[in-house]
Amino acid sequence: MFEALFSSTALVALAEIGDKTQLLAILLATRFKKPVPIILGILVATLANHFLAALVGSEAAQLLQGIWFRYLIAASFIAMGLWTLIPDKIDDLEDKPARFGAFLTTAIAFFVVEMGDKTQLATVALGARFHNVWAVTAGTTLGMMLANVPAVFLGNALLQRVPLRLVHGIAAMLFLAAGIWMLGETAGWF
């Protein structure tokens, strides 16, 4: 359980830095200037989205037990590592006036933007790897909050001070290491 929690937290926290949802957090913080509702919106959206993602991963692993599925999960970690090296941009996010308050706008926007995002797909893979929906959900949510709460408070200043290439490189290495480790375990190398 602790391995699932800590691995999920570390992988998602690093993968989230400079990610589209972190850029969205900065955008919402500058638009609303209400950090608490924004943080609560991020928390609610992430809990819902990542619970479903971890559940899908865990259930898929239960249904598709077999050596080829373990290879597929290992390959997905390696793909996540490579994808992490490609920086996200906020250009493709719509900048429409908000109809709702800071909390609801954030919750809806985060849930939708997180769909198909690398941290959501990583959560599916982590759910499949660890078969512990609660620990993975808690870990990935904690990772998202560790990356996004400072972004809400510090905004663009944070992105200007943090060497994104280095962070993305570290996150990519962790995903690659997890994938190679699982590949090695499945192949019987160690």
Side-chain angles (χ1 to χ4, degrees):
M1 180 174 117
F2 288 114
E3 181 184 5
L5 178 71
F6 294 132
S7 297
S8 300
T9 300
L11 286 172
V12 169
L14 287 170
E16 180 65 11
I17 295 176
D19 189 69
K20 190 183 317 183
T21 46
Q22 188 181 51
L23 298 174
L24 176 62
I26 293 168
L27 177 74
L28 291 167
T30 57
R31 180 185 292 173
F32 287 108
K33 296 177 181 25
K34 294 180 179 179
V36 173
I38 292 169
I39 290 167
L40 291 174
I42 292 169
L43 177 64
V44 167
T46 302
L47 281 169
N49 191 297
H50 286 204
F51 172 77
L52 294 172
L55 184 63
V56 165
S58 181
E59 290 300 313
Q62 297 279 346
L63 294 173
L64 303 171
Q65 291 180 3
I67 196 159
W68 67 271
F69 188 68
R70 287 188 52 83
Y71 281 121
L72 181 64
I73 296 301
S76 72
F77 276 107
I78 293 168
M80 284 291 127
L82 297 174
W83 188 8
T84 300
L85 295 173
I86 302 169
D88 282 331
K89 293 183 171 83
I90 198 146
D91 300 346
D92 51 350
L93 296 176
E94 296 181 27
D95 191 20
K96 294 181 179 176
R99 289 182 169 168
F100 310 106
F103 170 77
L104 195 54
T105 299
T106 301
I108 292 169
F110 252 77
F111 189 87
V112 170
V113 171
E114 187 66 11
M115 298 301 285
D117 192 57
K118 63 186 150 207
T119 50
Q120 185 196 40
L121 296 176
T123 304
V124 172
L126 288 161
R129 166 70 174 95
F130 291 112
H131 304 282
N132 189 327
V133 174
W134 300 109
V136 169
T137 301
T140 58
T141 301
L142 180 58
M144 289 286 285
M145 299 311 288
L146 287 172
N148 285 307
V149 169
V152 169
F153 286 110
L154 302 175
N156 284 324
L158 178 68
L159 290 179
Q160 291 171 356
R161 294 187 184 266
V162 174
L164 291 181
R165 273 195 169 162
L166 175 63
V167 173
H168 287 160
I170 293 169
M173 296 289 273
L174 287 173
F175 277 115
L176 289 169
I180 291 168
W181 183 265
M182 189 168 186
L183 183 65
E185 280 183 336
T186 304
W189 299 337
F190 35 82

